[in-house]
């Protein structure tokens, strides 16, 4: 009976994520519901961000200073201007807060941003897929069910406010119902010649207007 109860607790644990807002600048919401009590434990989600989406480390530091989010980014050096095809994936350790009306529920949000993609052939959108996050738990009392938890290879502190490493455990849970997808607008390759021609024409026109204004109103010694 105990084994069945533990297996039920594992199955009752779940994780979900959702991209809020619209456009290139979104909020990523992660929710976790545990199948057993995690009193006194730190709960976190290890989120794997593909190259098409990123977290701004400067924005993250500002939010941490105002206690609006708690997260650690790996690596912490991010090229904010790189397009998707020159960027690399990131790992975000997002510390979750307990929900007031559910003792086994935890959640957190963090701002994420989409990168520019290469022009596509025959479509005006590129898909950025976020895989299901990994749920992690860090407990001092060590009363975790062995059937539901296993040590995780995470070199990270127990919270965003500490620096010492912590022994994290990974949770066995139901996978997310569906992967989160971000649709990013992209240019069409069919329009390449037209865009280049208009760009050259506009640049030449503006340069001519600036040169004409400089000759008319400029004072040359």
């Amino acid at each position: 009976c105990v084994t069945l109860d533990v297996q039920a607790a594992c199955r009752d644990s779940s994780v979900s994520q959702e991209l809020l807002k619209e456009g290139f600048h979104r909020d990523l919401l992660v929710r976790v519901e545990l199948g057993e009590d995690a009193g006194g434990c730190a709960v976190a989600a290890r989120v794997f961000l593909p190259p098409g989406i990123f977290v701004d480390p400067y924005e993250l530091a500002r939010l941490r200073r105002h206690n609006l989010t708690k997260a650690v980014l790996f690596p912490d050096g991010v090229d904010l201007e790189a397009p998707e095809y020159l960027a690399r994936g990131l790992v975000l350790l997002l510390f979750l807060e307990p929900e007031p009306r559910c003792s086994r529920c935890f959640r957190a949000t963090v701002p994420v941003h989409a990168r520019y993609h290469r022009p596509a052939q025959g479509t005006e959108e590129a898909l950025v897929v976020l895989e299901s996050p990994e749920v992690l738990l860090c407990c001092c009392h060590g009363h975790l069910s062995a059937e539901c938890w296993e040590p995780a290879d995470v070199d990270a502190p127990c919270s965003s406010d500490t620096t010492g490493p912590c022994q994290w455990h990974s949770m066995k849970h139901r996978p997310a119902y569906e992967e989160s997808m971000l649709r990013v607008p992209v240019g069409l390759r069919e329009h390449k010649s037209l865009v280049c021609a208009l760009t050259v024409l506009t640049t030449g026109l503006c340069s001519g207007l600036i040169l004409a204004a400089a000759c008319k109103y400029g004072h040359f010694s």
Side-chain angles (χ1 to χ4, degrees), residues 82-125:
E84 178 269 341
Y85 49 88
L86 294 179
R88 56 179 175 172
L90 303 170
V91 176
L92 179 71
L93 188 64
L94 184 60
F95 298 93
L96 309 182
E97 297 289 341
E99 294 191 13
R101 299 181 181 180
C102 178
S103 61
R104 296 181 178 181
C105 301
F106 301 81
R107 64 182 290 162
T109 58
V110 64
V112 295
H113 309 277
R115 294 188 183 274
Y116 291 105
H117 287 60
R118 290 184 187 273
Q121 186 77 30
T123 178
E124 296 181 355
E125 291 181 333

Side-chain angles (χ1 to χ4, degrees), residues 122-137:
T123 178
E124 296 181 355
E125 291 181 333
L127 290 181
V128 179
V129 179
L130 285 175
E131 62 183 73
S132 182
E134 180 184 6
V135 179
L136 301 172
L137 206 68

